[in-house]
């Protein structure tokens, strides 16, 4: 073999390695450029199709990647009517939703726990939309493997009917009744009294959220691009919404008296704005925004049939109470949730939701007085359950 041949054979591996390295670096660089281009296109799409006025404020909200937990915590206020003495007392009350837990320490937790009244270990989570229910559902799914219970979830519906005919109620009751305990069933549906159909009543749990914050969240949730794209994929026959409807911002909707944002007492609304309806039940009188009947019936059902009604604005307290009052299903819930917080906190989070001014929220609150009263009732009940446990402070 010639000298040139020997040199060529010795240098080929080195040269091939060099070429591969150059190709690798070049490919990485091109991928970076392509990703940057996609990000700029997404930002352009967001500004052109979603922006509706205060562009700088809206861009900031689109880019906000804080979790929903931090977003809703900013809305928690300490009651100004409380006589708070000292900075430490303010911190304690703020931590516990403005309540003085010492008022509840003497209560026997057994008197606040409906779990003991249910012989059959079947639990129904009749989840309210936009209260963190998607994350709670995923938490239950994870816990089902750890705690040894079966998880059942209703399939997506073309039209989500939360009020059922008597025949539909009976069919649902029979379905849940055949599940082998311990089991969980999850569905967007108003409370159903199983004993009406001579079937053992299951255990109920649910979540609530500030009613005004919830309707605002829903308003932008159904306008998020991924929402109607997913709906279209699942149900191709559904028409796409108009661009005018998509661009309509909540503040304009409220101030112009748009039908979508008029909240009149007794209204039967298609947007799940009525929080009390989910707890009041299937009676016709339960349907009607901000009515006294729905409020009182919802309170009664919560006291009698719900083991725990959690509060989105305070997930730590909610998870702690669930662990202690419904341990068969929620044992280890707090650790599981926070160990998976990066995954769970991003479920259903809407980065396309801009900020809404406090003035607009205050305007809407005037039409949600009984809905807010029910929310505060659930908050108080949750903190009573927590305080009665007399747990050492973390």
């Amino acid at each position: 073999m010639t000298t040139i041949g020997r040199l060529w054979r010795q240098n080929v591996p080195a040269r091939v390695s060099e070429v591969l390295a150059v190709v690798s670096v070049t490919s990485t660089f091109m991928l970076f450029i392509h990703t940057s281009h996609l990000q700029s296109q997404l930002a352009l799409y967001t500004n052109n199709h979603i922006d509706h006025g205060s562009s700088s404020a809206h861009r900031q909200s689109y880019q906000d990647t804080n979790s929903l937990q931090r977003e809703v915590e900013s809305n928690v206020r300490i009651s100004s009517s409380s006589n708070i003495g000292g900075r430490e007392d303010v911190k304690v009350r703020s931590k516990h939703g403005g309540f003085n837990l010492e008022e509840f320490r003497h209560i026997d937790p057994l008197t606040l726990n409906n779990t003991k009244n249910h012989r059959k270990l079947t639990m129904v989570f009749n989840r309210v939309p936009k209260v963190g229910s998607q994350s709670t559902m995923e938490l239950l799914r994870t816990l089902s493997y750890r705690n040894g219970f079966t998880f059942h979830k209703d399939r997506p519906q073309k039209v989500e009917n939360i009020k059922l005919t008597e025949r539909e109620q009976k069919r649902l009751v029979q379905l849940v009744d055949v599940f082998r305990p311990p089991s969980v069933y999850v569905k967007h549906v108003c409370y159903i009294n199983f004993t009406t159909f001579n079937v053992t009543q299951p255990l109920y749990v649910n979540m609530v959220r500030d009613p005004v914050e919830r309707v605002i969240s829903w308003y932008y949730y159904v306008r998020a691009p991924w929402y109607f794209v997913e709906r279209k994929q699942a149900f191709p026959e559904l028409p796409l919404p108009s661009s005018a409807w998509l661009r309509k911002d909540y503040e304009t909707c409220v101030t112009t008296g748009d039908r979508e944002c008029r909240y009149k007492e007794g209204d039967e609304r298609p947007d799940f704005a009525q929080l009390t309806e989910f707890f009041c039940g299937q009676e016709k009188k339960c349907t009607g925004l901000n009515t006294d009947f729905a409020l009182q019936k919802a309170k009664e059902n919560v006291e009698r049939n719900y083991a725990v009604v959690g509060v989105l604005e305070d997930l730590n307290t909610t998870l702690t109470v669930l662990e202690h009052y419904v341990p068969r299903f929620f044992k280890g819930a707090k650790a599981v949730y926070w160990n998976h917080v990066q995954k769970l906190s991003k479920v259903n989070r809407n980065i396309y939701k801009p900020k809404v001014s406090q003035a607009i929220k205050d305007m809407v609150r005037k039409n949600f007085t009984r809905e807010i009263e029910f929310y505060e009732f659930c908050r108080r009940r949750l903190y009573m359950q927590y305080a009665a446990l007399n747990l050492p402070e973390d």
Side-chain angles (χ1 to χ4, degrees):
M1 182 180 294
T2 64
T3 303
I4 294 177
R6 285 195 299 271
L7 289 174
W8 182 84
R9 290 174 63 90
Q10 292 172 0
N11 291 330
V12 163
R15 292 185 177 277
V16 169
S17 299
E18 292 172 2
V19 170
L20 289 177
V22 170
V23 169
S24 176
V25 171
T26 303
S27 299
T28 303
F29 177 73
M30 292 304 295
L31 180 61
F32 172 77
I33 294 297
H34 181 62
T35 303
S36 299
H37 174 70
L38 288 177
Q39 289 175 336
S40 65
Q41 290 298 310
L42 178 60
L44 181 62
Y45 172 83
T46 299
N47 289 333
N48 288 340
H49 295 275
I50 305 297
D51 196 0
H52 40 70
S54 304
S55 60
S56 60
H58 294 164
R59 280 195 298 271
Q60 180 179 356
S61 65
Y62 299 148
Q63 294 166 357
D64 183 15
T65 55
N66 289 330
S67 68
L68 180 60
Q69 169 68 4
R70 282 183 289 176
E71 171 198 338
V72 295
E73 282 179 356
S74 67
N75 295 310
V76 178
R77 300 176 184 83
I78 305 172
S79 174
S80 59
S81 61
S82 300
N83 184 17
I84 301 174
R87 185 172 299 175
E88 291 303 316
D89 193 24
V90 171
K91 289 181 180 179
V92 171
R93 287 176 180 266
S94 177
K95 181 178 180 181
H96 300 300
F99 293 100
N100 181 4
L101 299 191
E102 296 306 317
E103 298 176 6
F104 311 135
R105 298 288 188 193
H106 67 282
I107 301 175
D108 183 352
L110 290 178
T111 64
L112 301 174
N113 192 356
N114 288 328
T115 306
K116 67 181 188 302
N117 301 326
H118 293 79
R119 302 186 308 276
K120 190 175 182 180
L121 280 176
T122 301
M123 188 176 76
V124 173
F125 175 32
N126 65 315
R127 61 192 189 114
V128 178
K130 308 314 299 172
V131 296
S133 64
Q134 184 78 17
S135 296
T136 306
M137 183 181 70
E138 294 304 322
L139 174 64
L140 278 168
R141 192 196 305 273
T142 303
L143 288 172
S144 68
Y145 299 105
R146 294 169 177 256
N147 294 340
F149 59 87
T150 54
F151 175 89
H152 307 273
K153 173 185 175 295
D154 187 35
R155 63 177 180 268
Q157 305 291 322
K158 183 177 179 181
V159 178
E160 196 73 67
N161 290 319
I162 60 173
K163 299 299 281 282
L164 309 179
T165 65
E166 186 173 343
R167 184 178 180 181
E168 290 170 335
Q169 290 180 56
K170 186 175 182 179
R171 189 182 302 124
L172 180 60
V173 165
Q174 291 173 340
L175 171 68
V176 174
D177 191 50
V178 300
F179 294 150
R180 183 178 179 180
S183 61
V184 168
Y185 180 68
V186 181
K187 177 178 171 60
H188 288 303
V189 66
C190 294
Y191 166 81
I192 297 175
N193 185 351
F194 281 50
T195 61
T196 303
F197 302 94
N198 297 316
V199 174
T200 303
Q201 180 83 335
L203 191 65
Y204 273 90
V205 295
N206 215 325
M207 297 281 293
V208 294
R209 179 185 186 180
D210 179 286
V212 174
E213 296 294 337
R214 192 177 75 83
V215 297
I216 295 172
S217 180
W218 174 264
Y219 183 90
Y220 285 109
Y221 171 70
V222 296
R223 285 170 167 79
W226 49 265
Y227 172 81
F228 54 79
V229 169
E230 287 180 356
R231 293 282 294 168
K232 187 69 174 176
Q233 289 175 341
F235 308 103
E237 66 277 14
L238 288 177
L240 287 172
S242 68
S243 59
W245 183 84
L246 289 172
R247 289 197 300 268
K248 181 172 59 175
D249 69 278
Y250 188 75
E251 296 199 358
T252 301
C253 185
V254 171
T255 55
T256 58
D258 190 294
R259 177 68 185 88
E260 187 178 2
C261 301
R262 290 203 307 264
Y263 306 100
K264 293 185 177 180
E265 184 172 318
D267 267 1
E268 296 186 15
R269 301 192 59 85
D271 58 358
F272 311 119
Q274 185 187 346
L275 178 63
T276 53
E277 187 174 22
F278 283 85
F279 298 86
C280 180
Q282 297 290 334
E283 295 180 52
K284 184 171 178 57
K285 290 195 296 184
C286 286
T287 301
L289 179 71
N290 207 47
T291 65
D292 186 64
F293 178 86
L295 168 65
Q296 301 306 329
K297 190 67 175 179
K299 286 182 178 180
E300 178 185 327
N301 282 334
V302 166
E303 289 282 31
R304 290 184 177 181
N305 300 294
Y306 282 80
V308 176
V309 176
V311 176
L312 178 62
E313 287 85 350
D314 191 345
L315 283 178
N316 271 327
T317 299
T318 295
L319 294 171
T320 300
V321 171
L322 284 168
E323 282 186 343
H324 285 82
Y325 284 77
V326 201
R328 183 64 185 83
F329 298 101
F330 286 97
K331 180 182 177 181
K334 198 171 181 180
V336 169
Y337 184 88
W338 293 117
N339 286 339
H340 295 78
V341 70
Q342 292 301 317
K343 181 178 83 169
L344 294 176
S345 66
K346 293 178 182 178
V347 174
N348 258 11
R349 189 176 65 197
N350 186 6
I351 64 171
Y352 298 99
K353 177 190 167 191
K355 292 181 180 179
V356 175
S357 71
Q358 190 59 49
I360 293 296
K361 293 178 183 179
D362 291 341
M363 187 184 303
V364 174
R365 285 184 193 283
K366 295 176 182 178
N367 297 327
F368 278 77
T369 52
R370 292 187 178 97
E371 301 296 319
I372 292 171
E373 182 179 337
F374 175 71
Y375 166 71
E376 292 298 336
F377 165 81
C378 292
R379 288 179 69 241
R380 178 181 175 83
R381 182 174 185 260
L382 179 72
Y383 286 109
M384 286 177 65
Q385 290 178 312
Y386 176 78
L389 293 171
N390 284 290
L391 300 173
E393 292 295 330
D394 291 338

